[in-house]
Amino acid sequence: MPVQFSEKSRARFEWLLTRYPTRQAALLPTLRLAEEEFGSIGLEEMKYVAGLIGVSPAHVLGVVSFYTHYRRPEHGKYILQVCSTLPCALRGCERITDHLKKKLGIKVGETTKDKRFTLKKVECLAACDRAPMMQVNDQDHYDLTPEKVDRILDGLP
Amino acid sequence: MPTIKVNGKEYDAPAGKNVLQFCLDQGLYVPHYCYHPALTIAGNCRMCIVKGSGPGLRPGLMTSCTLPVQDKLEVETEAPDVQKAREGVLEFLLINHPLDCPVCDQAGECYLQDYSFKYGRDRSRFVEKKVTKHTKDVGRNIRIWGNRCIVCTRCVRFCEEVAGTGELNVVERGDHSIIDNFPGLPMDNLLSGNTADICPVGALLDKDFLYQARVWYMETADSVCPTCSVGCNLKVDTYQGQVKRLRPRENQAVNQWWLCDIGRYNHKFTSAPNRLGLAKTRGVATAATAAIAATAVSAPALEWERCSLDGALARTWETLDKFVRAEGAGAVAGLASAWLSNEELFLFRKFMKLGIGALDLGLVAHQDGEAHAFKSGFKIHADRNPNRRGAQELLGADAAKDGLKRVLDGIRAGRIKAVLAAGGIPGWEPDPALLAALRKLAFVAVLDVAEDAPLVSVAHVVLPGATWVEKDGTFTNAQGRVQRCQRALPPPGVAAPESDLLQQLLVLAGKREKVLSAQGVFAELAAEVPAFAGLSYRDLGGQGKCLGAAADPAVAAR
């Protein structure tokens, strides 16, 4: 089936266009919309969005690969994004990343064989006051310790 | 007009122009990678940094490409802190750069090398592990060595803004940033070769030129592309007697900075194994008498004999002369190609009219190909011949239009018995009817460049000619601009420029005393053909001049 927005998403996209000075400026929220509609952003989805916005597929690839936030088809069910910027680094995010690597048996950037977890090391997620922190999909978790990380992962459905 | 000071010297400068381009226009040296006059300004390489101060400007180091000219602006391009900053920029650019200059094709024409020599540190302080990136084909003709890339995005902007195809972009980010195409959509636009030209480092390389020659061993001649009637200006780079690559040469009135891939790679025929290096003849003695006896033996049935060039020229003249004497001047016709230079077309007509007295001249040419136009306005014409316009002026508009048909009719009617044809069209697929007609003739003499050229297959005498890189001459492009090609190589064997061969025929006919250089022939042409009046090689210079320039100031300004 060809990749295509539902009527609802299409309407949402048209509305998005009214919020930005140029079509190209609406690329980021349109990708978010595509992510919601299609579950993840793969090559076909990028081509589709490129056509909607009127830029080349290579341009969309550049944008999608620049940001760490977009879900790609190869990602697991849960994307663990561990912040590694200064406050989190000072508060021991390295310990959290090492713990996750050991626990999941994967390196940063990899996905577990059961496609449950993808581990990412990312830049600031705007919760410096409660460092170290990580995001599990869209959910923030603060003041992390290895024990707390275990509890969070074990509590996931 | 604003007055600005560059390194203490005052200049009048156009407001709003970027300082980098202004400095370059003045011949001042400012190093830069990402800036290119044809592309939007990215300001990402930081190499064109200068020290600036002026009204409303916070004094300090700034990139000159993003600094507009304004009144009372003062910049210093080589102040000690500017040099120090450039050293720092280079140190960062070289963090992940490999030291593979000995095997890199860009070496010798690499901005990284040149600026490192001028501004760089003599050693790296970087002790961490280098980031490595992909080496892969990003298009039909272009391969990227990611490790060498400094992510200036010239290639990205070129594809977006000039070609209008946008196949390349920067993917990933930070020190993992790398140029890539979208999977399954490689850069296959017809201008792709230019990305290797404008790549300031050895990241994008032309696969056709890969490991062919160290650039400092090559010799370069200024020339013009023969592959279509646009007539893009180019440089011919040769090494050890072979064309190694063609590169565009800037001419804002013709091709801006660019060259299309169709023209860029159309030079292999110059060194192909099928090049004609010797003269040869077959059955000429019988052909001469056949004219009178009317028992012509068609050429393909005869065996080739090797012959000296002088001998072949003499036989050509004597045989054509015999036909004229026996059958009248109308029995001999001429076919000239749109791949001949202006000088050669002029001489061809002169020989046919003065030497022979022939009535019919025709033009042979490549059939039209596909025309292309690009976002920047760059065009590839459907007319895949360099000099159709010149032929119209020099053979006569009528000959260029209907001459070929008249020659064909004359052959079919039995009136035309002999033909002198100057071809030299690489990869030509002529109308089979033309070859069939020529094959029946009692005598065909041919000037051509390839053993297996269609005209050679029907010839009794073959005079080996030169390709456009092997001779001096001019082409007239579709807009009427007369542009020079300069000889980059000697022709193979005894082959000679057609202008020499045709002049020797004129000498044999008693219509000329000696063989002149192409420049001399052009002077003669300019004196005799009104459209070319007032033009000379000195006048044409490197950028050419339009026909009628001497008479019309508006044309001269083009």
Side-chain angles (χ1 to χ4, degrees):
Chain A
M1 206 181 80
V3 172
Q4 207 176 351
F5 274 164
S6 62
E7 239 170 74
K8 195 173 151 225
S9 295
R10 182 80 210 192
R12 175 97 184 151
F13 169 68
E14 297 296 340
W15 175 79
L16 278 171
L17 290 181
T18 66
R19 309 274 299 156
Y20 292 89
T22 62
R23 285 182 85 87
Q24 195 173 329
L27 178 55
L28 293 182
T30 306
L31 283 167
R32 186 59 92 197
L33 193 60
E35 190 182 28
E36 284 164 16
E37 171 97 31
F38 307 121
S40 66
I41 301 177
L43 296 178
E44 288 308 312
E45 290 77 14
M46 288 184 219
K47 275 192 201 169
Y48 176 66
V49 171
L52 282 179
I53 296 283
V55 295
S56 70
H59 183 91
V60 176
L61 175 67
V63 170
V64 170
S65 63
F66 181 90
Y67 292 102
T68 51
H69 306 73
Y70 292 114
R71 180 178 281 274
R72 310 284 290 270
E74 61 270 25
H75 288 159
K77 183 176 178 190
Y78 298 105
I79 303 177
L80 312 177
Q81 303 198 70
V82 186
C83 172
S84 63
T85 310
L86 190 61
C88 284
L90 292 173
R91 296 278 292 153
C93 70
E94 202 64 22
R95 205 160 57 106
I96 303 301
T97 316
D98 286 345
H99 179 72
L100 280 167
K101 275 160 50 174
K102 214 159 126 195
K103 184 178 171 73
L104 302 173
I106 53 173
K107 291 188 207 140
V108 171
E110 290 182 347
T111 301
T112 54
K113 280 214 180 74
D114 62 3
K115 281 260 180 183
R116 195 166 156 80
F117 296 107
T118 295
L119 178 59
K120 284 188 182 182
K121 209 168 131 181
V122 301
E123 301 303 330
C124 189
L125 291 170
C128 308
D129 58 327
R130 301 177 71 183
M133 68 83 67
M134 74 169 175
Q135 245 183 12
V136 178
N137 290 351
D138 288 339
Q139 183 68 47
D140 286 4
H141 296 276
Y142 311 112
D143 302 316
L144 296 176
T145 61
E147 296 72 34
K148 191 169 176 188
V149 166
D150 284 346
R151 280 204 303 280
I152 294 165
L153 261 54
D154 294 345
L156 290 171
Chain B
M1 191 176 272
T3 305
I4 71 168
K5 241 184 205 175
V6 183
N7 300 335
K9 195 176 162 194
E10 281 202 357
Y11 296 88
D12 288 331
K17 185 164 202 164
N18 74 74
V19 169
L20 172 56
Q21 186 61 56
F22 178 75
C23 289
L24 297 175
D25 291 347
Q26 303 306 313
L28 298 168
Y29 179 88
V30 181
H32 57 281
Y33 294 108
C34 71
Y35 177 77
H36 189 287
L39 306 174
T40 54
I41 290 170
N44 64 30
C45 78
R46 318 312 287 175
M47 199 61 202
C48 70
I49 218 156
V50 294
K51 196 172 172 178
S53 62
L57 203 62
R58 192 170 145 190
L61 298 177
M62 48 198 79
T63 48
S64 56
C65 68
T66 55
L67 179 64
V69 164
Q70 56 160 340
D71 201 30
K72 299 195 175 63
L73 180 70
E74 289 187 32
V75 298
E76 281 184 68
T77 63
E78 294 292 340
D81 43 353
V82 170
Q83 297 200 7
K84 187 78 190 157
R86 286 178 188 157
E87 181 190 297
V89 168
L90 275 170
E91 191 175 10
F92 275 118
L93 287 177
L94 291 171
I95 276 181
N96 290 310
H97 195 88
L99 270 175
D100 62 351
C101 305
V103 293
C104 177
D105 275 340
Q106 189 81 2
E109 49 188 28
C110 174
Y111 289 24
L112 263 178
Q113 284 184 332
D114 295 350
Y115 300 159
S116 290
F117 182 78
K118 195 164 164 59
Y119 301 103
R121 297 172 60 87
D122 64 348
R123 64 204 62 200
S124 172
R125 293 181 292 185
F126 187 72
V127 293
E128 289 81 3
K129 203 175 163 204
K130 292 191 181 219
V131 177
T132 55
K133 297 171 190 173
H134 61 222
T135 299
K136 60 175 275 198
D137 290 354
V138 288
R140 195 175 36 209
N141 306 310
I142 303 294
R143 193 165 169 77
I144 185 168
W145 273 256
N147 292 340
R148 296 176 187 155
C149 179
I150 61 166
V151 205
C152 72
T153 70
R154 273 184 173 189
C155 55
V156 173
R157 285 173 284 146
F158 177 85
C159 287
E160 190 66 46
E161 297 163 18
V162 179
T165 45
E167 297 102 329
L168 297 184
N169 213 316
V170 182
V171 301
E172 302 299 332
R173 77 173 161 186
D175 59 0
H176 291 273
S177 299
I178 180 65
I179 303 297
D180 204 352
N181 60 292
F182 192 86
L185 298 176
M187 175 173 63
D188 60 359
N189 68 70
L190 282 170
L191 297 180
S192 70
N194 295 291
T195 58
D197 294 335
I198 59 171
C199 181
V201 300
L204 291 179
L205 294 180
D206 196 320
K207 292 199 283 179
D208 190 64
F209 179 64
L210 199 58
Y211 308 137
Q212 288 298 301
R214 304 313 283 165
V215 296
W216 51 87
Y217 288 134
M218 295 200 294
E219 291 177 65
T220 300
D222 285 358
S223 190
V224 168
C225 179
T227 303
C228 87
S229 61
V230 171
C232 291
N233 290 207
L234 51 77
K235 290 175 194 282
V236 181
D237 288 332
T238 61
Y239 177 59
Q240 292 188 331
Q242 269 196 9
V243 178
K244 289 297 178 187
R245 67 175 173 183
L246 303 179
R247 281 183 295 154
R249 186 160 58 82
E250 184 183 341
N251 187 334
Q252 289 305 317
V254 182
N255 54 310
Q256 296 88 46
W257 295 266
W258 318 122
L259 181 62
C260 81
D261 292 357
I262 304 173
R264 181 183 298 264
Y265 304 115
N266 190 19
H267 61 75
K268 306 293 160 63
F269 66 91
T270 62
S271 56
N274 67 356
R275 280 301 303 279
L276 273 167
L278 295 167
K280 52 186 188 176
T281 66
R282 53 185 172 185
V284 175
T286 46
T289 46
I292 297 118
T295 53
V297 184
S298 84
L302 299 159
E303 286 292 316
W304 284 115
E305 297 161 43
R306 290 229 327 239
C307 178
S308 72
L309 185 61
D310 285 346
L313 283 162
R315 283 187 202 185
T316 302
W317 162 245
E318 284 160 14
T319 314
L320 291 175
D321 190 42
K322 277 180 189 160
F323 273 95
V324 173
R325 284 167 202 276
E327 306 268 335
V332 178
L335 295 175
S337 91
W339 277 66
L340 295 179
S341 68
N342 291 319
E343 292 79 354
E344 290 157 357
L345 288 162
F346 170 75
L347 290 166
F348 186 86
R349 183 172 197 278
K350 200 159 216 185
F351 175 71
M352 294 312 291
K353 293 290 176 191
L354 271 184
I356 303 288
L359 305 174
D360 293 313
L361 296 183
L363 180 68
V364 290
H366 263 306
Q367 285 188 332
D368 278 1
E370 202 182 328
H372 301 271
F374 299 88
K375 191 175 178 183
S376 69
F378 185 91
K379 283 191 174 66
I380 302 172
H381 287 173
D383 181 5
R384 293 290 153 78
N385 303 280
N387 206 21
R388 188 186 294 272
R389 179 69 193 274
Q392 286 163 353
E393 300 291 343
L394 293 158
L395 291 183
D398 189 44
K401 189 163 169 275
D402 301 320
L404 179 60
K405 190 177 172 297
R406 276 201 301 276
V407 172
L408 264 176
D409 290 346
I411 295 172
R412 286 185 184 133
R415 175 173 63 79
I416 293 169
K417 303 274 170 47
V419 161
L420 175 67
I425 311 176
W428 186 38
E429 288 173 13
D431 181 0
L434 171 66
L435 286 187
L438 291 173
R439 201 170 284 128
K440 293 199 190 91
L441 285 175
F443 183 68
V444 179
V446 163
L447 293 77
D448 215 314
V449 297
E451 288 280 357
D452 52 0
L455 288 174
V456 170
S457 72
V458 298
H460 296 82
V461 177
V462 173
L463 301 164
T467 62
W468 100 107
V469 292
E470 295 153 0
K471 58 193 177 191
D472 292 315
T474 55
F475 290 136
T476 310
N477 77 358
Q479 64 174 149
R481 179 173 290 266
V482 184
Q483 308 189 99
R484 284 182 66 190
C485 302
Q486 296 186 37
R487 178 174 142 134
L489 288 174
V494 303
E498 283 83 342
S499 70
D500 288 7
L501 301 174
L502 291 164
Q503 287 187 82
Q504 284 174 39
L505 288 174
L506 276 162
V507 169
L508 288 169
K511 301 295 179 193
R512 175 168 288 244
E513 290 189 351
K514 60 179 181 183
V515 174
L516 301 177
S517 68
Q519 183 169 9
V521 175
F522 191 83
E524 192 178 317
L525 183 169
E528 292 181 27
V529 183
F532 289 80
L535 297 178
S536 70
Y537 269 23
R538 179 184 288 186
D539 223 33
L540 297 180
Q543 305 267 292
K545 277 266 158 64
C546 283
L547 292 173
D552 185 351
V555 172
R558 291 216 303 259

